[in-house]
Amino acid sequence: MKPYSDMTKEELLSLKEQLSAEYDAIKAQGLSLDMSRGKPSAEQLALSMGMMDTLSSSSILKSEDGTDCRSYGALDGISEAKTFMGAMMDAPADQIIVYGTSSLNIMYDTVSRSMTHGVLGSTPWAKLDKVKWLCPVPGYDRHFSITEFFGIELINVPMTPEGPDMDIVEKLVSEDDAIKGIWCVPMYSNPQGVVYSDETVKRFAALKPAAADFRIYWDNAYCVHHLYFDDKPVLLDILSECEKAGNPDMVYKFGSTSKVTFPGAGIAAMAASKANIAEIKKQLSMQTICHDKLNQLRHVRFFKDLDGLMAHMKKHADIVRPKFEAVLDVLEKELGGLGIGSWIAPKGGYFISFDSMPDCAKAIVAKTKEAGVIMTGAGATFPYKKDPKDSNIRIAPTFPSSEDLSKAAAIFVLSVKLVSIDKILESK
Amino acid sequence: MKPYSDMTKEELLSLKEQLSAEYDAIKAQGLSLDMSRGKPSAEQLALSMGMMDTLSSSSILKSEDGTDCRSYGALDGISEAKTFMGAMMDAPADQIIVYGTSSLNIMYDTVSRSMTHGVLGSTPWAKLDKVKWLCPVPGYDRHFSITEFFGIELINVPMTPEGPDMDIVEKLVSEDDAIKGIWCVPMYSNPQGVVYSDETVKRFAALKPAAADFRIYWDNAYCVHHLYFDDKPVLLDILSECEKAGNPDMVYKFGSTSKVTFPGAGIAAMAASKANIAEIKKQLSMQTICHDKLNQLRHVRFFKDLDGLMAHMKKHADIVRPKFEAVLDVLEKELGGLGIGSWIAPKGGYFISFDSMPDCAKAIVAKTKEAGVIMTGAGATFPYKKDPKDSNIRIAPTFPSSEDLSKAAAIFVLSVKLVSIDKILESK
């Protein structure tokens, strides 16, 4: 098949007629499929059911240091949970706080406290005229929402195949002391699946921000979510790089087991410099007495250690990898060479990022919806939900069954083709 | 024994010599006892061990409406948890949000959001010159800490046997629009065990605050923690009273199962008007995707309903009541009629509140500590940890074993006597 833009008007109209018939036939089936959110499938959730048996009424519910996990105490988590999450997140146990179930909640709370109390003695951000934040795009909608909620001005920074465009990041943070942070998903970025290169990590660690309270929010949500364990990338540890570069306090790392065990019922943690951790623990002691230590214990007893975790993640990969490959195959087979869209084949994470021709994404998502397939809303991957090019679409292949996924992918490519033909016809 | 103040200097000196010998003998035993915090004992925790078996790898982990509790969703809690917590907290299920494990965390978050975002459209409190808060005293130290943390000015309001002094509350909130809230523990108040009278609740509901965003923080922490189930008080429902009085939005109710099941691993909830709940759910959607629905399911399947909960609480009462009675017996027997302290025998909750002669509480707590008994720090029950009379001491009898409790109570009364004698001698 030749690129659509090389086709004549007549060829396009004839193709449109044929594709429309296909589309209408599928639409008539009244399907209801969902490729919108990064949720594990039922089959993946089943992998962790054994965790439900790790604690029973006959268990001794004490942590390794003797803390009774059924009562108050251990604000920053039980020691074995700190060790476990530290191993997963590449951080020393004494620089970890284990929280409740949601790393998003940790990030929200951290921004919120910075608003009301500042950071390591700085002016509370709520007292400043202006606070700004860097948002690599496309990115994670819930990150952007947090900072938008606090009235922070969001600035787009383009992503490259190596991570955020560091020339722009370096320039902006060194020039503007209103810029207080940046959202990063350094491994298998949401939605593109980009893994930050060593150079990118080192340039992050060496930033010279104008604001002393500038912080890198390093959300390593997919650090163990490899699709190809035999060929998995290695991400440089930002925490030790920041230390080496003389910026030990500049980064907060976040992670959770949300997509390892059960979303909403996992455990989440933060890693940072000792100075940051000490301040946050002090503040945290106002907010709560402790988090759920039984759930921490449940997780550690189920996985035991990093090896146990990795063995578990390989099982996830075996379920998820064929789904990614199925969607990528359909994209390649149906859209390859047509010049109406591009995508990256990720090596892990939860998403495939698709870029349509300019000004087509909203129409494509509407078109798939009309035929019964819910996609993430077009624009959702940008601050304020505004994709300046209206071209990025996030595909989440994990949740549907393989059968549903094939159908959904077929509807997606059909929608891309139909919308693209209309767009090209506008200029013919 | 006659009142100490009626004794001659010689009698007091002779008594002091005898008591000092007793004290030194106990001190020589090198005891280490703790009556400082309101923690359930191991025997109480054992009551909930069966809950560890309610979910297993063979359980269907879906809520009654089909929600998969292993994945994202149900931001405000699963429906059966809302029904259950609503029954416990005397509120309709559709006016409940079930959160994670800590009601303290809910209160902190609610104050924090009011600081950054205001309340139902009001000016964010962080943007005001001054925010003030009413603190019935003595009260709960962690309440006071939250508002102090946000730089809110704390104003003492004396407690009466019917609740906070409502003449003062009414006057202050109607005159000063900087007053944005009040901390209340309406049933078995911490530390006095006072149950707010119907008149107090009705006067709360009928408040005419100068600030439209004034809120009553109604922390019903001990709503099911009766010591005498055959003779338990009934607390009027503030939420419906506020509605009747035309102030539907003026109150937030808080509750948790922290001291019902496992502190730090229970479930917590908030109840409020539909307008408040709608606003908070919207804000909450920025903070997290959902709370731990598996723990909600675990709780509901363990208790089933309010009857199940009450049967469980009776078991708690059977363990806790003898401890309260043991301490009260020692107080009555050893201090009754001496005129050196007063206390109230509570019908529920977690504390006995003791008032020493003025300017003695710190010395008494230091004296018990010297003999190996940790009490809550004197002053802790007041804002800024400043008890103007230096007389209130909170006794927490639940955690120690009965044997330890007798020893600790003996040391306590001995310390009260010795410190009081010194105080009286000063003026002889």
Side-chain angles (χ1 to χ4, degrees):
Chain A
M1 188 76 87
K2 64 183 171 185
Y4 278 16
S5 57
D6 294 350
M7 287 181 161
T8 63
K9 193 173 173 182
E10 290 64 36
E11 284 175 317
L12 286 169
L13 285 171
S14 152
L15 182 58
K16 182 180 174 179
E17 199 182 322
Q18 175 204 325
L19 295 171
S20 293
E22 285 179 39
Y23 177 87
D24 289 340
I26 292 179
K27 189 177 152 186
Q29 295 176 34
L31 298 171
S32 174
L33 307 167
D34 194 335
M35 289 207 297
S36 73
R37 300 298 316 180
K39 287 169 66 170
S41 63
E43 202 185 345
Q44 286 175 269
L45 297 173
L47 295 176
S48 300
M49 283 303 283
M51 194 173 69
M52 293 288 95
D53 298 331
T54 53
L55 304 187
S56 77
S57 59
S58 56
S59 303
I60 304 292
L61 300 177
K62 290 193 173 166
S63 71
E64 60 190 13
D65 67 2
T67 302
D68 191 335
C69 296
R70 302 171 304 173
S71 194
Y72 295 119
L75 175 66
D76 54 353
I78 57 174
S79 58
E80 55 265 62
K82 288 195 274 187
T83 302
F84 176 75
M85 292 303 283
M88 179 175 123
M89 292 168 64
D90 207 1
D94 63 350
Q95 289 177 232
I96 288 268
I97 299 174
V98 185
Y99 290 70
T101 60
S102 157
S103 58
L104 195 76
N105 202 333
I106 308 176
M107 292 179 244
Y108 173 99
D109 283 1
T110 309
V111 174
S112 181
R113 273 196 317 264
S114 304
M115 293 298 295
T116 54
H117 289 82
V119 179
L120 286 183
S122 76
T123 304
W125 298 351
K127 294 204 184 300
L128 302 175
D129 289 335
K130 190 67 155 176
V131 178
K132 302 177 188 171
W133 206 273
L134 302 186
C135 301
V137 290
Y140 179 33
D141 53 349
R142 287 184 180 273
H143 282 165
F144 304 154
S145 296
I146 288 174
T147 33
E148 185 183 353
F149 181 66
F150 284 102
I152 294 171
E153 182 184 321
L154 310 184
I155 300 169
N156 292 2
V157 172
M159 283 289 287
T160 78
E162 308 240 311
D165 185 323
M166 291 309 294
D167 291 343
I168 295 178
V169 172
E170 284 165 352
K171 184 173 180 334
L172 289 174
V173 304
S174 67
E175 287 175 356
D176 188 350
D177 70 358
I179 295 175
K180 299 297 187 187
I182 181 168
W183 291 118
C184 293
V185 181
M187 193 159 213
Y188 310 130
S189 69
N190 176 350
Q192 292 171 308
V194 165
V195 180
Y196 291 13
S197 69
D198 289 0
E199 196 200 331
T200 297
V201 177
K202 282 176 191 286
R203 287 176 74 178
F204 262 114
L207 283 175
K208 300 283 172 242
D213 52 357
F214 171 85
R215 289 292 181 271
I216 302 164
Y217 278 60
W218 198 258
D219 182 7
N220 209 348
Y222 308 110
C223 58
V224 291
H225 292 78
H226 313 294
L227 289 175
Y228 304 95
F229 271 79
D230 296 336
D231 179 27
K232 59 177 196 283
V234 175
L235 177 71
L236 217 52
D237 170 33
I238 183 79
L239 200 52
S240 45
E241 290 301 320
C242 279
E243 250 176 62
K244 281 185 228 165
N247 283 323
D249 301 329
M250 197 171 58
V251 67
Y252 303 132
K253 288 167 88 172
F254 305 94
S256 84
T257 68
S258 287
K259 293 185 181 76
V260 173
T261 56
F262 299 132
I267 55 177
M270 177 183 202
S273 71
K274 286 180 184 172
N276 281 327
I277 291 290
E279 181 188 44
I280 292 166
K281 272 171 68 171
K282 204 174 152 192
Q283 295 172 324
L284 197 57
S285 73
M286 300 292 143
Q287 188 172 12
T288 192
I289 304 180
C290 61
H291 294 99
D292 187 343
K293 295 185 295 297
L294 289 176
N295 206 32
Q296 294 174 16
L297 199 63
R298 192 175 284 122
H299 276 73
V300 177
R301 290 194 182 170
F302 182 57
F303 289 117
K304 296 191 174 59
D305 54 24
L306 192 60
D307 287 344
L309 174 64
M310 286 305 178
H312 183 82
M313 293 314 297
K314 283 181 188 168
K315 295 179 199 164
H316 274 287
D318 289 342
I319 296 169
V320 168
R321 193 174 49 246
K323 295 186 180 184
F324 273 78
E325 290 175 348
V327 173
L328 290 165
D329 281 353
V330 172
L331 294 178
E332 188 57 45
K333 197 175 139 209
E334 294 292 327
L335 301 179
L338 300 188
I340 57 173
S342 62
W343 57 92
I344 306 168
K347 302 280 184 214
Y350 258 68
F351 303 103
I352 296 166
S353 178
F354 180 86
D355 284 304
S356 69
M357 295 171 61
D359 303 316
C360 288
K362 275 188 190 151
I364 292 168
V365 170
K367 196 92 189 161
T368 65
K369 190 178 177 188
E370 202 189 318
V373 177
I374 306 295
M375 312 283 301
T376 309
T381 53
F382 284 76
Y384 311 111
K385 304 199 186 305
K386 282 182 196 156
D387 176 356
K389 291 186 193 156
D390 184 25
S391 83
N392 189 253
I393 298 172
R394 190 180 80 166
I395 302 172
T398 57
F399 187 69
S401 68
S402 291
E403 194 190 348
D404 283 353
L405 199 62
S406 305
K407 285 184 202 162
I411 291 169
F412 176 71
V413 292
L414 210 44
S415 301
V416 171
K417 288 176 181 175
L418 283 165
V419 170
S420 302
I421 289 173
D422 281 345
K423 177 57 64 183
I424 294 167
L425 282 172
E426 278 174 21
S427 56
K428 290 265 171 184
Chain B
M1 188 74 87
K2 63 183 171 184
Y4 278 17
S5 57
D6 294 350
M7 287 180 160
T8 64
K9 192 173 173 182
E10 291 64 35
E11 284 175 316
L12 287 169
L13 285 171
S14 153
L15 182 58
K16 182 180 175 181
E17 200 182 320
Q18 175 204 324
L19 295 172
S20 294
E22 286 179 40
Y23 178 87
D24 289 340
I26 293 178
K27 188 177 152 186
Q29 295 176 31
L31 299 170
S32 175
L33 307 168
D34 194 334
M35 290 206 296
S36 72
R37 299 298 316 180
K39 287 168 66 170
S41 64
E43 201 185 346
Q44 287 175 269
L45 296 174
L47 295 176
S48 301
M49 284 303 283
M51 193 172 69
M52 292 289 94
D53 298 332
T54 52
L55 304 188
S56 77
S57 60
S58 57
S59 303
I60 305 292
L61 299 177
K62 289 193 174 166
S63 71
E64 60 190 12
D65 68 1
T67 302
D68 191 336
C69 296
R70 303 171 304 172
S71 194
Y72 294 119
L75 175 66
D76 55 353
I78 57 174
S79 57
E80 54 263 62
K82 288 195 275 185
T83 301
F84 175 75
M85 291 303 284
M88 178 176 125
M89 292 168 65
D90 207 0
D94 63 348
Q95 289 178 231
I96 289 267
I97 299 174
V98 185
Y99 290 71
T101 60
S102 157
S103 58
L104 196 76
N105 202 332
I106 307 177
M107 292 179 244
Y108 173 99
D109 283 2
T110 309
V111 173
S112 181
R113 274 197 316 265
S114 304
M115 294 297 296
T116 53
H117 289 82
V119 179
L120 286 183
S122 76
T123 304
W125 298 350
K127 292 203 185 299
L128 302 175
D129 289 336
K130 190 68 154 177
V131 178
K132 302 177 188 171
W133 205 273
L134 302 187
C135 299
V137 290
Y140 179 34
D141 54 348
R142 288 184 180 273
H143 282 165
F144 303 154
S145 296
I146 288 174
T147 33
E148 185 183 354
F149 181 67
F150 285 101
I152 294 171
E153 183 184 320
L154 310 184
I155 301 169
N156 291 2
V157 173
M159 282 290 287
T160 78
E162 308 240 313
D165 185 323
M166 292 309 294
D167 290 344
I168 296 179
V169 171
E170 284 164 353
K171 185 174 178 335
L172 290 174
V173 306
S174 66
E175 286 176 355
D176 189 349
D177 70 358
I179 296 176
K180 299 298 187 186
I182 182 168
W183 290 119
C184 292
V185 181
M187 193 158 213
Y188 309 130
S189 68
N190 177 350
Q192 293 171 308
V194 165
V195 180
Y196 291 14
S197 69
D198 288 359
E199 196 199 330
T200 297
V201 176
K202 282 175 190 287
R203 288 176 73 177
F204 261 115
L207 284 175
K208 300 282 169 242
D213 52 357
F214 171 84
R215 290 292 182 271
I216 303 164
Y217 278 60
W218 197 257
D219 181 7
N220 209 349
Y222 308 111
C223 58
V224 292
H225 292 78
H226 312 295
L227 290 175
Y228 304 94
F229 271 80
D230 295 337
D231 179 29
K232 59 176 196 283
V234 176
L235 177 71
L236 217 52
D237 170 33
I238 182 79
L239 199 52
S240 46
E241 289 301 320
C242 279
E243 250 176 62
K244 280 186 227 162
N247 283 323
D249 301 329
M250 197 171 58
V251 66
Y252 303 132
K253 289 167 87 173
F254 304 95
S256 84
T257 68
S258 287
K259 294 184 179 78
V260 173
T261 56
F262 300 134
I267 56 177
M270 177 183 201
S273 71
K274 286 179 185 173
N276 281 327
I277 292 290
E279 181 189 43
I280 292 165
K281 272 171 69 171
K282 204 174 152 192
Q283 294 172 325
L284 198 58
S285 73
M286 300 292 143
Q287 187 171 13
T288 193
I289 304 180
C290 61
H291 295 99
D292 187 344
K293 294 184 295 296
L294 289 177
N295 206 32
Q296 294 174 14
L297 198 64
R298 192 176 282 122
H299 276 73
V300 178
R301 290 195 182 170
F302 182 57
F303 289 116
K304 296 192 174 58
D305 54 24
L306 193 61
D307 287 344
L309 173 65
M310 286 304 178
H312 183 82
M313 294 314 297
K314 282 181 188 167
K315 295 179 198 165
H316 274 286
D318 289 342
I319 297 169
V320 168
R321 193 175 48 247
K323 295 187 180 184
F324 273 78
E325 290 175 347
V327 173
L328 291 165
D329 281 352
V330 172
L331 293 178
E332 189 55 46
K333 197 174 138 207
E334 293 292 327
L335 300 179
L338 299 187
I340 57 172
S342 62
W343 57 93
I344 306 168
K347 303 280 183 214
Y350 258 67
F351 303 104
I352 296 166
S353 178
F354 180 87
D355 283 305
S356 70
M357 295 170 61
D359 303 317
C360 287
K362 274 188 191 150
I364 292 168
V365 169
K367 196 94 188 161
T368 65
K369 189 178 177 188
E370 203 189 318
V373 176
I374 306 294
M375 312 282 300
T376 309
T381 53
F382 284 75
Y384 312 111
K385 303 198 186 306
K386 281 181 197 156
D387 176 355
K389 292 187 194 156
D390 185 24
S391 85
N392 188 253
I393 298 173
R394 189 181 80 166
I395 302 172
T398 57
F399 186 68
S401 69
S402 291
E403 194 190 349
D404 284 352
L405 199 62
S406 306
K407 285 183 202 164
I411 292 169
F412 176 70
V413 293
L414 210 43
S415 302
V416 171
K417 288 175 181 176
L418 283 164
V419 170
S420 303
I421 289 173
D422 282 345
K423 178 56 63 184
I424 294 166
L425 282 171
E426 278 175 21
S427 57
K428 288 266 170 185

